[in-house]
Amino acid sequence: MQEQFFNVTHATPVNVIPLPSDYPLPSEQALEAELPEPFRIASAISTADMAATRLIRNQSDAVQDLVEIINQQSRKIDMIMSYVLAAQDHPEQRFHTLTFGAGQLTYLHPTQGHGQAPTQGQLVRLKIFLRDEAAAVYCYARVREITAGEHGLHVGLDYVRIREEDRELLVRASLHVQSRQLKARAQERLG
């Protein structure tokens, strides 16, 4: 049974690599072993940033200068990680999500120039690039549905092998996107 998670409408780059029909779903240990090092490093940095943010929130106003210095250092690391992760993004496999969340995503497969779309039930390897988070997720998914859209096929994928820390990263990323969208709507109403 697929867990239900919140999805957000947002375009983010994703590499989709369709796999042969006889390709076995890797175990959690095999996924961990094949995880590209930049994805592992980005995940560790994201986890450390989250822990530091929690600690900073519990400090008094007297440490605001220190907080700003830490935030600047974090932004520098994020820029470096974004650059490193960009090397893992392959244009011939790149699509953009229509929606994403911690349990599934839907991406647009244009009818021109991107080869054949995966088929219903097919296993795919995914690289989800969360540029606003300076992070990326490497996982496996299965094609849930394919529907025709105005600009191509809408391919719905359910994650079938994903690390728990990457699922948490997707939860945070979708909440950050939703927060930005709500702020933008509020500004439109006020403006």
Side-chain angles (χ1 to χ4, degrees):
M1 184 179 124
Q2 177 71 22
E3 285 186 70
Q4 295 298 311
F5 291 96
F6 170 76
N7 287 319
V8 63
T9 301
H10 183 69
T12 195
V14 59
N15 284 181
V16 179
I17 303 104
L19 300 168
S21 61
D22 61 347
Y23 193 93
L25 178 65
S27 67
E28 290 179 20
Q29 295 80 12
L31 173 66
E32 192 69 42
E34 74 179 53
L35 190 69
E37 196 60 26
F39 288 78
R40 190 180 316 281
I41 292 168
S43 178
I45 289 171
S46 177
T47 300
D49 279 350
M50 194 170 69
T53 300
R54 273 193 227 116
L55 289 173
I56 289 170
R57 283 188 190 137
N58 295 329
Q59 301 303 313
S60 68
D61 291 338
V63 294
Q64 287 307 313
D65 288 341
L66 178 60
V67 168
E68 184 54 34
I69 291 168
I70 292 169
N71 285 337
Q72 288 175 10
Q73 295 303 313
S74 180
R75 284 191 288 279
K76 288 179 193 177
I77 292 169
D78 286 352
M79 286 188 287
I80 292 168
M81 279 314 306
S82 292
Y83 176 76
V84 169
L85 288 169
Q88 298 291 316
D89 183 9
H90 300 289
E92 69 279 4
Q93 300 167 335
R94 183 184 309 130
F95 300 92
H96 287 86
T97 60
L98 298 167
T99 65
F100 80 92
Q104 61 190 14
L105 66 77
T106 301
Y107 76 92
L108 177 65
H109 192 105
T111 51
Q112 300 292 320
H114 272 85
Q116 190 169 347
T119 58
Q120 182 82 27
Q122 187 172 11
L123 188 65
V124 299
R125 183 180 298 126
L126 290 178
K127 297 176 185 176
I128 307 166
F129 297 95
L130 303 165
R131 293 192 174 135
D132 292 338
E133 307 294 322
V137 172
Y138 181 93
C139 65
Y140 287 84
R142 193 165 307 280
V143 177
R144 175 184 68 256
E145 66 180 351
I146 301 171
T147 57
E150 185 178 341
H151 301 288
L153 299 174
H154 295 192
V155 182
L157 304 173
D158 289 331
Y159 310 136
V160 292
R161 185 69 74 225
I162 184 170
R163 298 180 327 147
E164 199 53 43
E165 55 265 38
D166 288 334
R167 194 180 299 278
E168 290 172 16
L169 175 61
L170 288 165
V171 167
R172 284 195 315 274
S174 61
L175 290 172
H176 289 159
V177 167
Q178 182 190 40
S179 176
R180 285 192 301 275
Q181 290 173 345
L182 291 172
K183 286 178 185 174
R185 283 187 203 135
Q187 288 297 326
E188 287 174 9
R189 282 194 299 266
L190 294 175

